[in-house]
Amino acid sequence: MPVVFVAASKLPTPFATFTMNGFLEEGTGREHVVLSLGDIADGAPVLGRVHSECLTGDALFSQRCDCGSQLEAAMRAIAREGRGVLLYLRQEGRGIGLMNKIRAYELQDGGADTVEANERLGFAADQRDYAICLPMLQHLGVKSLRLMTNNPRKVKALTEMGITVAERVPLHTGHNPHNKLYLATKASKLDHMMGNEHQGEVDRA
């Protein structure tokens, strides 16, 4: 999938001053960003996060999911380490787009879980494509990741495309009363490794 590097700039944040690398996915026109910190091209495994866009969680503080909390936790972890990458992919709603995500939320308000809602709208439970990660990481010289994720499918997808995942680093954060079913569904239907704190909810989901 053709992805071209566009430009890079400094991005001061409350956690660290990252380098913001912009990439354009030529086939779709989607614009993706990689935040990098420190020397990531030395061949050693790099602490990283592959984060799909979630406007509601990342920017609007929604508690229906754990996305915003995971984004912040990942940026904090990279800042503490002084070295790492965060790939921010424009794949809203696990790939269905913002308007369809709102439609899915409407169905969830009526009792559907996150997987059922996507499927009722005619989509797969997860339509994200991680192929765009490889050229971006290659451009930045990253050869191996210590990947912050609870999703073994993401690890598998990256590994199958030739990205070395040296370690999976759990990222358990953002749990609240509004997203218990959502997190339990991710564990029971999407194989996410959510930790023991959700075992009761998983058993009931």
Side-chain angles (χ1 to χ4, degrees):
M1 181 177 299
V3 179
V4 297
F5 172 74
V6 177
S9 68
K10 292 183 179 179
L11 183 70
T13 76
F15 320 117
T17 297
F18 294 87
T19 298
M20 180 170 59
N21 305 274
F23 294 86
L24 175 66
E25 186 180 337
E26 292 186 314
T28 64
R30 289 177 179 168
E31 299 164 330
H32 307 283
V33 166
V34 179
L35 301 184
S36 61
L37 184 67
D39 183 2
I40 57 173
D42 61 1
V46 177
L47 183 65
R49 164 86 178 152
V50 175
H51 189 92
S52 295
E53 178 181 33
C54 176
L55 177 71
T56 49
D58 298 342
L60 301 178
F61 312 105
S62 170
Q63 293 196 324
R64 298 185 72 132
C65 62
D66 55 346
C67 303
S69 294
Q70 287 189 322
L71 177 62
E72 180 176 339
M75 292 177 70
R76 287 185 183 277
I78 291 169
R80 282 195 303 269
E81 188 135 325
R83 177 176 179 270
V85 290
L86 187 142
L87 286 72
Y88 195 87
L89 309 181
R90 307 297 297 277
Q91 300 191 122
E92 180 74 51
R94 293 201 298 274
I96 68 173
L98 181 59
M99 293 300 105
N100 283 320
K101 178 180 177 179
I102 296 173
R103 292 186 179 100
Y105 276 175
E106 184 177 42
L107 292 173
Q108 290 173 43
D109 289 343
D113 66 36
T114 182
V115 169
E116 292 166 347
N118 277 26
E119 291 175 343
R120 287 184 195 176
L121 292 172
F123 300 108
D126 191 340
Q127 299 201 159
R128 290 175 292 183
D129 182 356
Y130 297 108
I132 50 179
C133 298
L134 182 59
M136 293 191 288
L137 290 172
Q138 288 175 333
H139 176 86
L140 296 170
V142 175
K143 300 189 181 303
S144 176
L145 287 174
R146 294 167 48 228
L147 188 65
M148 291 182 280
T149 185
N150 304 322
N151 184 358
R153 296 185 185 188
K154 187 181 294 184
V155 175
K156 183 174 184 287
L158 295 179
T159 300
E160 287 178 347
M161 71 181 66
I163 297 170
T164 299
V165 179
E167 178 186 0
R168 185 189 71 84
V169 180
L171 195 60
H172 298 152
T173 183
H175 307 157
N176 68 74
H178 301 283
N179 65 18
K180 280 187 175 182
L181 176 60
Y182 168 80
L183 296 179
T185 302
K186 286 209 297 186
S188 63
K189 293 188 176 182
L190 297 173
D191 303 325
H192 287 222
M193 303 172 76
M194 304 305 298
N196 293 333
E197 63 269 33
H198 286 289
Q199 191 57 53
E201 288 87 355
V202 169
D203 291 341
R204 294 193 295 272

